[in-house]
Amino acid sequence: MLTTREELDGRLPGAARAWLDEALAEAAHAADRPDTGTPDRPDTGNPPSGTGTGNPPSGTGTGNPPSGTGTGNPPWETRFASAGRHCGPEHADAVRALLLIEARPAAPDLARLYAQGTAAERRAVLLTLHRLDLGSAALTLVEDALRTNDTRLVAAAVGPYAAAHLDAHGWRHAILKCLFTEVPVEAVAALADRARGDTELARMLHDFAAERTAAGRPVPADLRTVLALTATPAAAPTEES
């Protein structure tokens, strides 16, 4: 769970609190003026090129100016990139989440921010998706993160947004991705609800375990946890459902 603004105020030193106040004001200004984002960028429904590796795309995050610096992007994006430096890496996720919630970027701008960002910045985007009222428009970012082997991104990708928007096929493969990369399944939002009575997921887990055993590799303990959940009968529909 991300740290709230009130909790941050109690943990940040004065200079960092002042920096955060200014950053949030810039983000609120951008939300009031949605035309300050990147103009004429079509929403293709796909993440910008360079994603899917867990590393910033070529030419970004490697010494080039951060988002919002000389690019025509809103100034709050520079704050987003430098949150760890000003507020400490331990608070960076929470600070970036607050900025995203305040700025309310459109899906294409969020995809650009994700593509340009470092792994830490992408993680913050993924952790905040369920707070941004985007519908399924940002699902491509989750799918991109699940194609990586960066455990920080995989864990962030299987949060509440994925639970709400991934279809059954995609969600099952997300579970297998967690098992393969050794991301604890406790990171998966709504795991018990979605796994309950899922016989197809159970079959996939049995196949995964058989493949590991045949290869002489250990079967993750978390696999048994999820398998036990699939054995729980699905909830019977009520008269109101």
Side-chain angles (χ1 to χ4, degrees):
M1 182 179 295
L2 294 169
T3 307
T4 66
R5 175 65 195 279
E6 291 73 20
E7 290 169 331
L8 275 176
D9 282 343
R11 298 174 187 178
L12 294 176
R17 288 198 304 273
W19 181 92
L20 180 57
D21 287 340
E22 294 174 358
L24 291 173
E26 290 177 355
H29 181 71
D32 291 338
R33 299 179 59 195
D35 59 328
T36 57
T38 303
D40 303 325
R41 179 179 293 274
D43 185 359
T44 62
N46 295 314
S49 61
T51 60
T53 62
N55 298 314
S58 176
T60 64
T62 55
N64 293 331
S67 303
T69 304
T71 63
N73 298 332
W76 73 267
E77 293 186 11
T78 302
R79 305 277 194 170
F80 183 87
S82 61
R85 185 164 67 252
H86 290 278
C87 297
E90 69 276 20
H91 301 306
D93 281 344
V95 169
R96 288 175 174 136
L98 289 173
L99 289 172
L100 289 170
I101 293 166
E102 196 69 46
R104 303 193 303 276
D109 293 319
L110 189 67
R112 171 180 52 77
L113 192 68
Y114 176 91
Q116 292 175 344
T118 63
E121 292 162 33
R122 293 181 183 191
R123 169 185 155 86
V125 169
L126 294 165
L127 289 172
T128 317
L129 288 178
H130 66 292
R131 303 283 303 277
L132 299 181
D133 194 23
L134 294 166
S136 61
L139 195 53
T140 50
L141 304 187
V142 170
E143 293 166 345
D144 177 81
L146 291 172
R147 287 192 292 268
T148 76
N149 286 320
D150 186 326
T151 55
R152 297 168 299 174
L153 297 184
V154 173
V158 292
Y161 185 85
H165 295 288
L166 273 179
D167 63 18
H169 176 80
W171 187 81
R172 290 170 186 140
H173 281 276
I175 298 301
L176 291 180
K177 184 71 174 193
C178 288
L179 295 173
F180 180 76
T181 57
E182 299 183 352
V183 169
V185 295
E186 64 186 23
V188 181
L191 174 62
D193 290 338
R194 291 207 58 168
R196 183 180 295 116
D198 191 335
T199 55
E200 176 60 16
L201 177 59
R203 183 195 66 77
M204 294 169 69
L205 293 172
H206 280 298
D207 289 348
F208 181 78
E211 291 172 5
R212 299 276 293 197
T213 301
R217 303 179 66 186
V219 175
D222 274 354
L223 185 146
R224 299 180 181 88
T225 299
V226 181
L227 192 59
L229 292 172
T230 67
T232 304
T238 64
E239 293 182 0
E240 296 159 353
S241 60

